[in-house]
Each structure stands twice: as C-alpha cells, then as structure tokens.
Amino acid sequence: MPIDTKSLPVDGVNGNPPPPVVTSIPNVEVTVERKPFIQPEDDQRLPHTGTARANIAATYEKPYGTTEGGWAKQHQDKTVLQQHCEFFDSDHDGIVWPQDTFRGFHRVGFGVVLSLVAVLIIHGNFSYPTVSGWLPDPFFRVFLARVHKDKHGSDTGTYDPEGRFIPQRFEDVFAKYAGGRDYLTLWDVLDLLRGQRCIMDPVGWFGAFFEWLATYLMLWPADGRMMKEDIRGIYDGSIFYTIANRRAAKK
C-alpha cells in the first residue's frame, strides 16, 4: 500500500514544487483508519482551514457560518463558544445562573429531571473556572466573559482555548469517524470518544460523554443520524433557538 499523499495548491519555496501532504502511513494503522479532512484541489471554498475563526462556525459547506436570520452579523462581537452559551443567558447580561440553564434545557425538550441533572453537571463543574478571583461563586453562576476557561481535554478540539472555532478540527470529526459522511451515528460517537480520549483526563472523558449524550438527546434523530449541519448549529448555538421555537409552535 503506498503512502497516502496529497499536494496542496501553493507555491513551493525558491521555485521548488510544493511538498506533498502525507496523511497516512501503511504500517501505522491508526493513520490509515483516521484520515484528516483535506479540501478537494478543485474546490478550495474554505481558506485556511486550520485557522481558528473568532466569531463564525465556518465549515466546508458553510464557509460564512450561520447566515440565516443575520446570525453571523448579529453575533460578530461574541466568540463562537460565547454564542453557544448565549441561548442560556436569557437576559443577555453575560451571566448564566443555574435557573437559566434549567429553563434553557427545558425549552429544547429536556424533562425536569434531565434539566436538573444538566444544571448540576454544568454549574458544578463550569462555574469556578469563570470567576474573576480565587473564591468560588456562591450561586454557581457561569460568567461568559471567561467561559473559554471551561474548555476541557478529550474533546474534538473544535473550540480553541480562547473559544474560537477551528474548521479543520470540526471537519476532521466527520473525516475520521464518519468516513466523510455528513452525519454521525451513536457508534460513530463512541469511536470518536475513544479516539479523542487523552490519558489521565477523567474530567475531559466525562465532559465529552455528557456533551455528546446531551447532543443526541436534544436532536433525537428518528433515523439515528445526527446531521453535520445540526451539530455545527450546536457549536454556535443557533440551533437551540430553532428547536425551542419549533417546540413552542407545537404548544
């Protein structure tokens, strides 16, 4: 089996041809099983895929992020991670109280018990890193100005440590664990959780498991397929409003 290489359409150094991009090695099986995303050479619609976007969740299919309803323009002053949290900050004061999280989860379809569980997990773990000093917040609030400090290990790496969105890491999820499909099944998610797991990181393991479980329960796909665009909408928070409005219209 030959080494899997691909040349990118960039100029070489000092007139030399561009170096090949080696994505897999035959005798290193995991590199063959999990190949990263590379754009087709004849359709480079997403420039600088490895560069983090501060305020849009840009993907190959949506290089301008969420444009419906003017979302990208309205949220240009927030990082993608802050956008993800905004739905739960109902009064838009930059602070998410436990009751805000409860109401938010309930609005997108979680029952009372699951909404309470979400509150305990989120505010029990994610409040303290966002406080401005050394003392914990007595009300277990999450402060969105510092929500980037809640990033944990063993995740997809799509959010960077400052809360920006890295298109390459998002696309890699589907390239590596879904065979390039535009959806994930539960089996794909289990492979992802195993593949992204870091050593000695129980907080990250549990955090990633909780986040993907909540994602599946929220989307609850009838055919078992969580669509790529829906998952992207969770990263920037836009789909929370869609789901909540859809549920409200049925009442």
Side-chain angles (χ1 to χ4, degrees), residues 145-157:
R146 293 174 292 277
V147 73
H148 59 278
K149 295 184 177 181
D150 281 330
K151 178 176 167 55
H152 57 78
S154 300
D155 61 357
T156 65

Side-chain angles (χ1 to χ4, degrees), residues 148-183:
H148 59 278
K149 295 184 177 181
D150 281 330
K151 178 176 167 55
H152 57 78
S154 300
D155 61 357
T156 65
T158 299
Y159 293 127
D160 76 358
E162 294 74 42
R164 293 176 290 237
F165 182 94
I166 306 175
Q168 181 71 48
R169 302 305 297 269
F170 180 83
E171 295 291 350
D172 281 349
V173 169
F174 297 87
K176 291 182 177 183
Y177 301 106
R181 303 189 309 267
D182 64 347
Y183 63 86

Side-chain angles (χ1 to χ4, degrees), residues 34 152-156 173 177 186-198 204-213:
R34 303 180 196 160
H152 57 78
S154 300
D155 61 357
T156 65
V173 169
Y177 301 106
L186 273 179
W187 298 113
D188 296 329
V189 171
L190 290 176
D191 286 341
L192 184 153
L193 291 173
R194 286 192 293 264
Q196 298 296 119
R197 188 168 52 195
C198 298
W205 303 339
F206 179 76
F209 175 80
F210 167 74
E211 289 157 3
W212 280 104
L213 176 62

Side-chain angles (χ1 to χ4, degrees), residues 118-134:
V119 169
L120 291 173
I121 292 173
I122 291 171
H123 290 269
N125 290 280
F126 294 151
S127 171
Y128 182 68
T130 68
V131 300
S132 58
W134 291 101

Side-chain angles (χ1 to χ4, degrees), residues 52-58 65-66 71-87 89 94 130 142-151 158-166 232-238 240-241:
R53 269 58 166 181
N55 55 11
I56 62 169
T66 301
W71 178 273
K73 184 176 181 180
Q74 293 170 13
H75 294 82
Q76 60 187 340
D77 61 339
K78 293 181 174 66
T79 67
V80 177
L81 180 56
Q82 288 175 328
Q83 294 174 37
H84 170 79
C85 301
E86 182 203 55
F87 174 78
D89 179 20
T130 68
V142 175
F143 298 88
L144 299 188
R146 293 174 292 277
V147 73
H148 59 278
K149 295 184 177 181
D150 281 330
K151 178 176 167 55
T158 299
Y159 293 127
D160 76 358
E162 294 74 42
R164 293 176 290 237
F165 182 94
I166 306 175
R232 191 195 66 81
I234 286 179
Y235 273 95
D236 73 1
S238 58
F240 297 147
Y241 292 93

